[in-house]
Amino acid sequence: MAIRLRLAYWYGAFLGLILLIAGTLTYALHTRGHYDELDRTLITTAGHHATEAAETPAGLHLAVDDTAGFAIALRLYDMQGRLLEETSQSHVLPALDPQAILTDPAGPAYGRLASLAPALGPAVVAPAAGAFDILQHAGQRWRIYVLPIQQHGGTVGMIVAFTSLDPLDHAIQRFQTILLALGLISLILAAVGSWAIAGNALRPVADMIATARRIAHLRDFSHRVAASDSKDELSQLAATFNEMLESLEIAYRSQQRFVADASHELRAPLTAIQGNLELLRRRPNLSDADREEAIGEAEREARRLSRLVADLLALARADAGVGLQHRPVELDSIVLEAFSTARQLARGQSLALDPFGPATLVGDSDRLKQLVLILLDNALSYTPADGQVRLGLAETAGGVTITVADTGIGISAADLPHVYERFYRADPARTREPGGTGLGLAIARWIADQHEGAISIASQPGQGTTVTVTFPHPESNSYESDAP
């Protein structure tokens, strides 16, 4: 079942329940109020004439012989049940037995549904005062009230007051019909309105569905859901959906660019290796020097290809969310090993280790060494032969800091925000050397992130670059040691 139909159904059902409860309560209150008022009128009328009849000097007598204005008829009985007097309207009913009514009274004139409502006025009658009855006669109901007449502390007679319930019954029946009709019309209007309101409220969802289908069909993440000025949850959902599409578009374009760049980078060493192999196959009489040169170039490109594949695998692990094993490590030993390796890579540059002090960290020793080597290799690659590269390790109040500073060509301000992008190419003066893969800083930042560290670069063109990596102290590191 569609959400719109479910919403309309539940809205209609809920409103129908409210209408049922409200209509039932309204009907019960209205009905009981009118029947109770009629009973109170009978009680008042009978009580008034009973008092007057008891005070008549000549004996029991109805002081007033006309109650037509009240549509109430009266009869006066003695204690033996003999009819003494009656008003002009009382002839419409047959003979009554008031003593039987007092012995076995009837219930209220309204039905069970009206009895659910509380009484809106004072109590209709006290049990010891009189008794009510209902008589069906001449196709209509009559309400009868019998009240004993008290005189000098004893009962001397009975007065009966009665009236037709037909006008009130018809009025209540008309009221019930009106309530049912109004309830049915309201329910139909509510269902139609609920359907329309649900459709309007779910329009952002329909837009999102249509947008998602267009994206799936066209493979184009540039589509967006129309923005809404309202601040409800659906408008927030639409805004969040647009943010997700923007992120997906950025990720998709980055993936496309990465695949294109990776293909280009993989093609270069493969082409060089293939060319040298074809040269060796087609020219078996090459001189030893040319043969060694071809083989050496193929080996260099194969090593570069191996490094590139290793870097791509490392970034694939990063994208897949694969974590590292964290153990307590001596960071100073790792930095010393990386420094010794970097000295073998130097091509005339002078390397210095300053400052340097003992430091411990909870992390992956291999990846930390890789991080330091990446920074040193970048510094050596873009520093001239007469330049200087300085590696530092210090533990301060803010954490453990690794610093790599060089006096190389530097990085322009326009290129600094992009240096962590994979295969990013800066200006021609900064184009990487054939041995690089263009993935080093991206891997370095991933390693730093895995150790809850932060990496920052400060550089001025022509003046050099300083890379700073800061790790939190081991006691504040959220990773637990995996060491036994």
Side-chain angles (χ1 to χ4, degrees):
M1 185 184 295
I3 294 180
R4 182 180 183 183
L5 183 59
R6 286 205 302 266
L7 287 176
Y9 172 78
W10 285 111
Y11 288 160
F14 183 67
L15 182 59
L17 180 61
I18 293 178
L19 288 175
L20 178 62
I21 295 174
T24 301
L25 184 61
T26 301
Y27 170 80
L29 289 172
H30 179 79
T31 300
R32 179 167 180 174
H34 280 73
Y35 281 108
D36 283 349
E37 184 63 29
L38 179 62
D39 286 351
R40 279 191 286 269
T41 302
L42 288 174
I43 292 172
T44 301
T45 303
H48 172 73
H49 289 284
T51 301
E52 290 188 349
E55 294 177 352
T56 303
L60 294 177
H61 176 67
L62 287 175
V64 178
D65 191 29
D66 189 5
T67 58
F70 303 99
I72 296 177
L74 297 173
R75 287 180 180 178
L76 181 63
Y77 292 85
D78 61 14
M79 289 305 298
Q80 286 71 38
R82 293 189 296 268
L83 178 62
L84 301 180
E85 292 184 46
E86 62 180 342
T87 59
S88 59
Q89 299 92 345
S90 67
H91 67 277
V92 296
L93 284 184
L96 299 173
D97 184 0
Q99 192 65 46
I101 296 175
L102 288 173
T103 304
D104 186 18
Y110 47 81
R112 292 183 178 180
L113 190 61
S115 64
L116 299 176
L120 298 180
V124 173
V125 60
F132 280 103
D133 194 14
I134 297 177
L135 177 65
Q136 190 77 28
H137 180 70
Q140 57 183 308
R141 297 193 310 156
W142 295 80
R143 187 65 165 167
I144 303 170
Y145 178 65
V146 178
L147 179 66
I149 301 174
Q150 304 292 326
Q151 190 177 49
H152 306 299
T155 303
V156 296
M158 294 169 288
I159 191 165
V160 177
F162 56 92
T163 185
S164 174
L165 291 174
D166 190 60
L168 183 56
D169 286 343
H170 282 82
I172 294 301
Q173 187 174 7
R174 287 194 301 271
F175 179 68
Q176 182 180 8
T177 303
I178 292 173
L179 275 182
L180 290 174
L182 289 177
L184 183 60
I185 294 173
S186 300
L187 190 59
I188 294 174
L189 293 177
V192 175
S194 299
W195 176 264
I197 293 173
N200 183 66
L202 292 174
R203 187 171 293 113
V205 177
D207 292 342
M208 282 185 279
I209 294 174
T211 302
R213 286 176 176 170
R214 285 196 300 269
I215 292 174
H217 179 69
L218 302 175
R219 298 182 181 275
D220 183 6
F221 289 96
S222 62
H223 295 281
R224 297 291 184 271
V225 178
S228 175
D229 295 333
S230 61
K231 301 299 181 182
D232 57 12
E233 289 80 359
L234 286 178
S235 65
Q236 295 176 11
L237 177 61
T240 304
F241 187 73
N242 286 334
E243 292 176 2
M244 181 190 68
L245 289 178
E246 185 176 358
S247 300
L248 288 175
E249 182 180 10
I250 294 173
Y252 182 68
R253 295 188 183 279
S254 299
Q255 183 187 35
Q256 287 182 317
R257 185 171 63 250
F258 175 71
V259 171
D261 291 340
S263 300
H264 176 76
E265 295 296 329
L266 289 170
R267 183 177 59 183
L270 288 173
T271 301
I273 294 172
Q274 183 180 5
N276 282 285
L277 291 177
E278 289 181 356
L279 177 65
L280 292 173
R281 182 175 60 84
R282 292 179 181 179
R283 299 182 62 181
N285 297 325
L286 275 177
S287 64
D288 293 340
D290 291 339
R291 183 182 299 275
E292 287 297 328
E293 182 179 355
I295 294 175
E297 183 178 357
E299 288 179 347
R300 287 193 299 272
E301 292 300 329
R303 285 193 295 269
R304 180 189 171 197
L305 181 61
S306 178
R307 289 195 299 270
L308 179 59
V309 171
D311 289 346
L312 288 174
L313 287 175
L315 290 175
R317 286 170 54 86
D319 293 339
V322 178
L324 305 178
Q325 290 187 351
H326 293 79
R327 303 172 183 271
V329 295
E330 296 180 356
L331 192 56
D332 51 325
S333 299
I334 295 174
V335 170
L336 278 176
E337 292 178 9
F339 182 75
S340 299
T341 303
R343 293 180 65 179
Q344 301 175 12
L345 302 176
R347 297 180 299 274
Q349 301 94 337
S350 63
L351 274 75
L353 189 60
D354 181 52
F356 182 76
T360 59
L361 196 66
V362 177
D364 189 309
S365 58
D366 293 335
R367 292 301 181 183
L368 290 171
K369 182 178 180 180
Q370 183 183 12
L371 167 64
V372 179
L373 284 175
I374 288 173
L375 301 182
L376 288 172
D377 182 60
N378 278 353
L380 292 171
S381 298
Y382 300 104
T383 300
D386 58 347
Q388 296 179 352
V389 176
R390 179 175 55 83
L391 173 63
L393 173 64
E395 187 169 1
T396 63
V400 180
T401 302
I402 297 176
T403 305
V404 177
D406 64 61
T407 59
I409 61 176
I411 308 173
S412 66
D415 293 322
L416 271 177
H418 306 284
V419 293
Y420 299 109
E421 296 179 9
R422 302 168 184 183
F423 298 116
Y424 176 75
R425 294 180 182 271
D427 53 47
R430 184 94 182 160
T431 301
R432 59 184 176 275
E433 296 181 353
T437 64
L439 301 173
L441 286 178
I443 296 174
R445 185 169 65 171
W446 168 63
I447 296 173
D449 291 340
Q450 287 292 304
H451 292 82
E452 297 186 343
I455 182 170
S456 61
I457 300 178
S459 183
Q460 289 290 334
Q463 298 182 15
T465 302
T466 300
V467 182
T468 304
V469 184
T470 303
F471 300 102
H473 286 291
E475 58 270 16
S476 63
N477 197 297
S478 62
Y479 295 107
E480 296 182 357
S481 173
D482 297 325

